Amino acid sequence: MFSESFSEAWRMRYGSDPPIEAPDLSAALRHRSVRSFSRTPIDESTVATLVAAAQSAATSSNLQLWSLISVHEPERRDAIAKLCADQDQVRDAAWFFAFIADHYRLRKAALNSGENPLGLDYLEFFTMSVIDASIAAERMVCAAESLGMGICYIGALRNNPAAVADLLGLPPGTFGVFGLCLGWPDEEARPEIKPRLAQQSLWFRERYNPDVTVGDYDARMQSFYESQGMSTNFSWSSRSGRRTNALTGREVLKEWLEGQGFNLR
């Protein structure tokens, strides 16, 4: 469905011509969030292959500190959509997944083998589990997009961690990091490639540049907002600053995570 060339996708990302032509990487640059899905189903055997791609991602020390929960039953899908800021794409996607940071499985396996996994109490291992889940999800996304599917990450899975844990039956030592919608994009809805920061704003040589600026990004994003019918009253810098003060329930995460057995040390 999405067919921009490498050069076209590069220009949409950066507002300039690419340094080289790399058509084999076009699919990587064409990524966008899809929020309108067709009703065409995706069979479970295809999804099992996408899960295999996710499991083929790098994982720290082969600990595999993540799990995946798919939600199918309509009432449960509606319930999790309501917990995720009532977003329709959570209801409409062919598949919805919750990616889980998971210490429970390893702790149980270690104890059953006579080992005491004391390190799981430390922040490092929570960080490890979130990284593992994120890398796995992105590998799954790349595989899905290579087949022409669309995806949308759902950070709002963290808006009400206790209710999500109850709905998904999460035991101690587990945490819903984010959701993922997966399906065939609606042919009538064509989300655009969103501009990104200029590379010099985030790619530094040897040492971090404390004089970093966002360059022309505010101006490019204003044009994007206008093209999408969004308000242009606030720049990207202003919108992003305001977003840091909109926690939407996530301000309880630290206390809740400690109650789940994470970050105790």
Side-chain angles (χ1 to χ4, degrees):
M1 176 179 177
F2 305 121
S3 57
E4 294 90 353
S5 69
F6 178 82
S7 294
E8 290 169 336
W10 185 282
R11 283 191 287 269
M12 296 175 81
R13 288 290 185 211
Y14 299 113
S16 62
D17 291 332
I20 62 169
E21 284 293 338
D24 290 346
L25 300 181
S26 298
L29 269 66
R30 283 199 294 260
H31 166 76
R32 67 263 275 165
S33 293
V34 172
R35 294 180 174 85
S36 296
F37 294 95
S38 77
R39 298 295 181 180
T40 306
I42 299 173
D43 62 88
E44 188 158 335
S45 59
T46 298
V47 173
T49 305
L50 297 179
V51 173
Q55 287 192 273
S56 298
T59 169
S60 185
S61 302
N62 198 33
L63 297 179
Q64 304 174 71
L65 296 172
W66 66 280
S67 291
L68 188 65
I69 298 176
S70 55
V71 181
H72 306 273
E73 198 278 322
E75 289 187 5
R76 293 175 59 78
R77 182 76 77 88
D78 182 64
I80 203 161
K82 288 176 179 175
L83 292 174
C84 293
D86 210 21
Q87 297 181 69
D88 285 337
Q89 63 265 32
V90 176
R91 295 185 180 87
D92 298 341
W95 289 76
F96 177 78
F97 303 92
F99 275 80
I100 310 298
D102 190 348
H103 287 184
Y104 178 84
R105 178 178 54 243
L106 178 57
R107 186 183 297 276
K108 183 176 180 180
L111 292 172
N112 286 343
S113 69
E115 300 293 336
N116 190 354
L118 292 174
L120 291 177
D121 291 345
Y122 285 84
L123 175 62
E124 163 61 12
F125 279 87
F126 173 71
T127 304
M128 207 181 288
S129 64
V130 172
I131 292 171
D132 266 15
S134 301
I135 293 174
E138 189 62 11
R139 180 61 65 97
M140 184 176 181
V141 163
C142 290
E145 290 182 333
S146 75
L147 299 177
M149 298 175 194
I151 70 94
C152 184
Y153 283 107
I154 303 295
L157 189 73
R158 301 188 299 276
N159 284 6
N160 191 332
V164 166
D166 183 61
L167 181 66
L168 300 181
L170 297 182
T174 58
F175 165 55
V177 183
F178 50 79
L180 182 69
C181 300
L182 177 70
W184 299 109
D186 182 351
E187 293 287 344
E188 300 300 317
R190 295 192 63 86
E192 296 294 333
I193 292 175
K194 188 177 293 184
R196 292 290 197 250
L197 287 164
Q199 289 191 356
Q200 60 264 32
S201 294
L202 52 77
W203 177 13
F204 311 122
R205 270 65 167 182
E206 311 302 340
R207 293 172 62 85
Y208 192 94
N209 178 11
D211 297 323
V212 61
T213 70
V214 297
D216 68 338
Y217 191 58
D218 275 335
R220 287 192 288 122
M221 282 303 293
Q222 288 294 90
S223 297
F224 179 79
Y225 297 145
E226 186 174 3
S227 73
Q228 301 301 300
M230 300 169 64
S231 171
T232 57
N233 292 337
F234 301 100
S235 67
W236 174 84
S237 294
S238 178
R239 286 172 184 263
S240 299
R242 287 167 174 252
R243 177 63 183 84
T244 65
N245 293 317
L247 290 171
T248 59
R250 303 180 206 181
E251 62 273 8
V252 304
L253 272 178
K254 183 177 184 294
E255 180 181 350
W256 186 83
L257 285 167
E258 289 174 351
Q260 280 289 94
F262 289 110
N263 306 338
L264 299 180
R265 306 187 197 187

